[in-house]
Amino acid sequence: GAGVSQSPSNKVTEKGKDVELRCDPISGHTALYWYRQSLGQGLEFLIYFQGNSAPDKSGLPSDRFSAERTGGSVSTLTIQRTQQEDSAVYLCASSFKPTGEQYFGPGTRLTVT
Amino acid sequence: GENVEQHPSTLSVQEGDSAVIKCTYSDSASNYFPWYKQELGKRPQLIIDIRSNVGEKKDQRIAVTLNKTAKHFSLHITETQPEDSAVYFCAAINSGGSNYKLTFGKGTLLTVNP
């Protein structure tokens, strides 16, 4: 079946602009995660959804970051007033249950100029 | 919250040798420990995992050991091959809690030299 998909694959934006990143999880997966990976760095947890609710938002770097999930499926991560330090690969993952194997999407490479 | 430390950050071995990557965790309630492999330019993929009710798990050339008392777990790769070259991430989570945040180590870049 189809894996996790993300769009766009690449995004170049000017500093100060807003961006929206999209994640389509595997059908039937209730848990969805967003991570950020800077060049050569590890996986920084951003937010986790169980269904449409996000019990843990502690990983969001600032109030410029927000995320939502609708219909227990698609999720969007929005970054307002982007800064250069937001440049990274944003990875989405989904799992059938919160403690199950996480399947990662291909990521969105965000470059803020 | 949970903190996962991973060592070494880089590891270079000759083809056929063994490689060991070690991780420590801080939250004694953590009970699920997956390992992910990320090849250059690709997405992370689960290679093996272990739960706290066992001390060791093996899958062909890959094994993971867990010491709950010391709060550390290790990945062992035997008979390494060039295709094992990648970044490996360990992670920890408390599957019995309500916070399903998977905390990752910073990764180990493994290079297998032919």
Side-chain angles (χ1 to χ4, degrees), chain B residues 9-61:
Chain B
S9 56
T10 61
L11 179 59
S12 181
V13 300
Q14 289 299 121
E15 182 177 359
D17 288 351
S18 295
V20 180
I21 302 170
K22 299 181 180 181
C23 290
T24 60
Y25 60 99
S26 61
D27 186 354
S28 57
S30 289
N31 57 4
Y32 174 62
F33 308 92
W35 285 86
Y36 284 81
K37 174 184 180 182
Q38 186 176 29
E39 297 178 11
L40 186 63
K42 297 191 175 180
R43 69 193 79 181
Q45 289 189 303
L46 181 75
I47 55 170
I48 195 167
D49 57 13
I50 191 168
R51 298 188 187 270
S52 60
N53 57 345
V54 298
E56 183 174 1
K57 184 176 179 181
K58 198 171 183 179
D59 182 4
Q60 300 183 344
R61 295 185 298 108

Side-chain angles (χ1 to χ4, degrees), chain B residues 34-98:
Chain B
W35 285 86
Y36 284 81
K37 174 184 180 182
Q38 186 176 29
E39 297 178 11
L40 186 63
K42 297 191 175 180
R43 69 193 79 181
Q45 289 189 303
L46 181 75
I47 55 170
I48 195 167
D49 57 13
I50 191 168
R51 298 188 187 270
S52 60
N53 57 345
V54 298
E56 183 174 1
K57 184 176 179 181
K58 198 171 183 179
D59 182 4
Q60 300 183 344
R61 295 185 298 108
I62 295 173
V64 57
T65 58
L66 172 65
N67 183 327
K68 285 194 298 181
T69 303
K71 289 191 284 188
H72 67 69
F73 57 112
S74 300
L75 177 72
H76 304 252
I77 306 174
T78 59
E79 300 171 26
T80 53
Q81 301 168 3
E83 52 264 39
D84 294 329
S85 297
V87 178
Y88 291 82
F89 295 98
C90 62
I93 189 174
N94 175 6
S95 65
S98 58

Side-chain angles (χ1 to χ4, degrees), chain A residues 9 19 35 40 75 77 86 88-89 93 96 98 110 112-113:
Chain A
S9 55
V19 295
Y35 297 93
S75 176
L77 176 69
D86 299 334
V89 175
F96 181 68
L110 175 65
V112 182
T113 61

Side-chain angles (χ1 to χ4, degrees), chain A residues 3-4 33 35 37 40-43 45 48 50 55-56 58 91 97-106, chain B residues 31-32 36 38 41-46 49 51 89 93-96 98-102 104-107:
Chain A
V4 178
Y33 307 78
Y35 297 93
Q37 188 171 36
Q41 298 298 308
L43 293 156
F45 169 84
Y48 151 74
Q50 177 59 32
D56 183 3
S58 64
L91 288 161
K97 56 182 181 179
T99 57
E101 175 179 357
Q102 293 189 19
Y103 293 83
F104 283 82
Chain B
N31 57 4
Y32 174 62
Y36 284 81
Q38 186 176 29
K42 297 191 175 180
R43 69 193 79 181
Q45 289 189 303
L46 181 75
D49 57 13
R51 298 188 187 270
F89 295 98
I93 189 174
N94 175 6
S95 65
S98 58
N99 177 359
Y100 295 111
K101 174 182 174 180
L102 191 61
F104 284 86
K106 293 193 182 299

